[in-house]
Amino acid sequence: MFAVAAAVFFLLALIFALAGLSVGGVLTVTTLGLAGLLCVALHLMGVGAGWSVLKK
């Protein structure tokens, strides 16, 4: 799930960079890129992988 969120953040960062947009002082290309990198790191750590223990 974090990989999908990272892809969305990177896509938004690309659109903002190409259009030269910035929403206020908080939502910038750098902020979106860092949020995407955080999601990639969480994905690689296995957070939110959705595994479960099978009971017999």
Side-chain angles (χ1 to χ4, degrees), residues 3-45:
V4 174
V8 169
F9 283 133
F10 288 138
L11 177 66
L12 286 174
L14 177 65
I15 291 171
F16 277 32
L18 291 175
L21 295 175
S22 176
V23 179
V26 178
L27 195 58
T28 62
V29 174
T30 305
T31 308
L32 291 170
L34 289 175
L37 288 175
L38 175 65
C39 289
V40 168
L42 290 173
H43 172 73
L44 291 176
M45 284 177 34

